[in-house]
Amino acid sequence: MKNAELVTFGGSGLNRAAELRGKEADVANETDRTIVLWRGKPLFDLDGSPSLVMLKNTHPILEGAPQYFLGVDAETRIYARDISAWEPPADQHPDPFVFYDPTHQQHPDLPKTHSFVELRGVMAQITPREAELTASAKALFHWHNSHKFCGRCGGETQSAASGWQRNCTACKAPNFPRTDPVVIMLITHGNNVLMGRSHGWPEGMYSLLAGFIEPGETIEAAVRRETFEETGVKVGEVEYLASQPWAFPGSLMLGCRGEATQNAITVDTNEIEDAIWVSKSDMFDAYLGQNPALKPARKGSIAHFIIERWLKDQLG
Ligand SMILES: [Zn+2]
């Protein structure tokens, strides 16, 4: 697809400087800067439009926080630090039961405009570089937190290569950060697009169908299988469109389009709550905020990006 890399999190050409990992990157330098995350939420300055906060790597709130090396930006080495051990004030605790966490957390030792925020809440307003840094750090921290033990022998693992590897302390097996591939597909039949909704989504919210690729499966096969499993719709031709790193918590979304060979829907309610065909004109109205029955996909998501280009005939 033309301009596929314009998708949010589509990359900013960050120099990840892998040659420095585990070597010079572990030696502190006065000019080093770091982004900060707290329980998966990056620190933004919300004075005006959101901007990613870069602290000196020696800032006192970072003491004891795990540190990983993200890359080099205009000669400055950029790190990510995780201060999840910090306990916010009682009135700033996030709500673990909501679909989307709207709460902000403010550290008392930082300026009042600095807040830890849900990345999805700001992703459509930030620069490609900010998006790449936060997505990389968020996925990396999640991987570290969920791979503390060796999958082979159960021994403890330790971070290595400035955060891009974990080695088992018992059997010495190396582990590398994983990314889970997910297909997300624009399935069309004539002028209609197939939309589904998961259990528990906010009212009126539908999005493109999506699902994890299984071992031994191609992208195209996963598109056809997931669509058939969830909706009973059979898909013919499948074409890859664009990809999006999606650090919620560690996926790579592979955007595809496919043409349905028939339009009868049989929803598998174990998988999703509902699936519908939506005409181009109804989707136009949804994107204009004029369709009360249908909310458009969240701006910044690859679903929003692909549907918008379908509406504008810009998929080719
Ligand atoms: Zn091991």
Side-chain angles (χ1 to χ4, degrees), residues 51 85-86 120 205 263:
S51 65
W86 170 64
R120 284 178 297 176
M205 184 175 165
N263 64 0

Short mmCIF file of all heavy atoms in Angstrom, two decimals, residues 51 85-86 120 205 263:
data_model
loop_
_atom_site.label_atom_id
_atom_site.label_comp_id
_atom_site.label_asym_id
_atom_site.label_seq_id
_atom_site.Cartn_x
_atom_site.Cartn_y
_atom_site.Cartn_z
N SER A 51 4.03 15.84 24.74
CA SER A 51 5.39 15.58 24.25
C SER A 51 6.09 14.63 25.23
O SER A 51 5.90 14.72 26.45
CB SER A 51 6.18 16.87 24.08
OG SER A 51 6.38 17.50 25.31
N ALA A 85 8.02 0.30 40.41
CA ALA A 85 8.02 0.07 41.86
C ALA A 85 7.44 1.27 42.62
O ALA A 85 7.03 1.13 43.77
CB ALA A 85 9.45 -0.20 42.34
N TRP A 86 7.38 2.43 41.96
CA TRP A 86 6.82 3.63 42.62
C TRP A 86 5.32 3.46 42.87
O TRP A 86 4.59 2.97 42.02
CB TRP A 86 7.07 4.86 41.72
CG TRP A 86 6.35 6.09 42.18
CD1 TRP A 86 6.53 6.76 43.34
CD2 TRP A 86 5.31 6.77 41.46
NE1 TRP A 86 5.66 7.84 43.40
CE2 TRP A 86 4.91 7.87 42.26
CE3 TRP A 86 4.67 6.57 40.22
CZ2 TRP A 86 3.90 8.76 41.87
CZ3 TRP A 86 3.69 7.44 39.83
CH2 TRP A 86 3.31 8.53 40.65
N ARG A 120 -2.41 4.68 24.31
CA ARG A 120 -3.46 4.76 23.29
C ARG A 120 -4.18 6.11 23.31
O ARG A 120 -4.79 6.52 22.33
CB ARG A 120 -4.48 3.63 23.48
CG ARG A 120 -3.95 2.29 22.99
CD ARG A 120 -4.96 1.20 23.23
NE ARG A 120 -5.23 1.02 24.65
CZ ARG A 120 -6.12 0.18 25.16
NH1 ARG A 120 -6.83 -0.58 24.36
NH2 ARG A 120 -6.29 0.06 26.45
N MET A 205 -19.01 -0.09 19.26
CA MET A 205 -17.64 -0.21 18.76
C MET A 205 -17.47 -1.50 17.96
O MET A 205 -17.68 -2.58 18.48
CB MET A 205 -16.66 -0.18 19.91
CG MET A 205 -15.21 -0.22 19.47
SD MET A 205 -14.10 -0.03 20.88
CE MET A 205 -12.57 -0.56 20.14
N ASN A 263 -21.37 -13.79 1.34
CA ASN A 263 -21.60 -12.81 2.40
C ASN A 263 -22.42 -13.30 3.59
O ASN A 263 -22.76 -12.51 4.46
CB ASN A 263 -22.20 -11.52 1.82
CG ASN A 263 -23.58 -11.75 1.25
OD1 ASN A 263 -24.08 -12.88 1.27
ND2 ASN A 263 -24.20 -10.71 0.72
#
